[in-house]
Amino acid sequence: MTRNDTGAVLNREKSGTGLADAAQIRYLSPADAAFTRTEGHMLNVNIGGKMYSGVYIHCSFPHTNKRIYLSVRTAENEEIGMIRSLDEFPDETQKLLEEQIQLRYFAPEITKVLSVKEEFGYSYWETETTSGLCRFTVRGGGGNIKLMTPNRLLVVDVDGNRFIVPELDRLSDKEYRMIEVCM
């Protein structure tokens, strides 16, 4: 809500300008945005005749829905526009953007916890993941182990790699006790 010159309160939604206008969000559609892949597997987008090279996709909800409210950004992290839903785009474009999202948000799922040992503020994990056997180190504190939902855990190692425990209640009691001390 804003006030006009006479002090009357105006509701932005009713006055014809929406939240997107107030936030200066540019929504992209297949009619005005054409995505292509470079030889180096980077992503380019042509919007209204202007080419943006080396763009990337940032998910607003990376742990719950990677198909809606996707921010298209330059290498300098400037937002070019927002995609409301991948479903609005042709199948070929959807596949191209999904590949880029998978690369950016690569996070193997931990299927089995083999061991977790804590020492001097670090925990040393040995796990089986959807990408194979993995050993990694997690710095204690600092929110490197976060509950994303009451049953989903995100683990970030010292190198910034992300791992997901998709369903805590599917872990054995022994596995849960090993990671519980780190949570």
Side-chain angles (χ1 to χ4, degrees):
M1 295 192 159
T2 59
R3 295 190 181 273
N4 68 11
D5 293 336
T6 63
V9 175
L10 299 175
N11 183 328
R12 245 190 211 290
E13 293 298 325
K14 290 181 181 175
S15 68
T17 59
L19 184 58
D21 293 332
Q24 297 180 335
I25 296 173
R26 177 183 193 179
Y27 285 103
L28 304 177
S29 71
D32 64 6
F35 292 90
T36 56
R37 181 182 341 193
T38 68
E39 288 181 24
H41 298 282
M42 297 293 290
L43 189 63
N44 293 337
V45 63
N46 187 326
I47 300 173
K50 183 173 181 183
M51 179 63 77
Y52 296 89
S53 301
V55 300
Y56 67 94
I57 306 298
H58 178 86
C59 294
S60 296
F61 307 103
H63 301 291
T64 55
N65 191 337
K66 295 178 185 170
R67 296 187 59 79
I68 60 171
Y69 297 104
L70 306 171
S71 175
V72 180
R73 299 183 183 189
T74 66
E76 292 79 31
N77 203 28
E78 293 177 27
E79 185 172 271
I80 300 165
M82 178 78 72
I83 296 171
R84 280 189 180 97
S85 173
L86 281 182
D87 296 333
E88 296 174 357
F89 285 81
D91 289 344
E92 185 176 311
T93 301
Q94 286 184 42
K95 288 177 187 170
L96 177 63
L97 297 177
E98 286 171 339
E99 286 173 9
Q100 294 297 315
I101 291 166
Q102 290 294 32
L103 287 171
R104 178 167 175 75
Y105 292 97
F106 177 69
E109 291 185 356
I110 295 174
T111 56
K112 185 169 181 66
V113 179
L114 303 173
S115 71
V116 178
K117 296 176 183 163
E118 283 197 287
E119 189 174 288
F120 304 114
Y122 292 88
S123 57
Y124 301 89
W125 295 56
E126 183 174 356
T127 64
E128 290 179 9
T129 71
T130 51
S131 295
L133 181 67
C134 196
R135 292 181 184 98
F136 55 93
T137 304
V138 178
R139 184 174 291 117
N144 294 312
I145 299 175
K146 302 175 191 172
L147 278 172
M148 303 310 295
T149 68
N151 198 32
R152 185 178 179 91
L153 190 70
L154 171 68
V155 181
V156 181
D157 75 4
V158 294
D159 296 319
N161 299 311
R162 295 175 293 248
F163 301 89
I164 301 289
V165 178
E167 297 177 52
L168 285 169
D169 60 3
R170 290 204 172 182
L171 295 176
S172 70
D173 289 342
K174 179 181 176 184
E175 291 173 298
Y176 188 82
R177 281 191 307 272
M178 282 190 273
I179 66 169
E180 184 177 33
V181 295
C182 302
M183 292 172 40

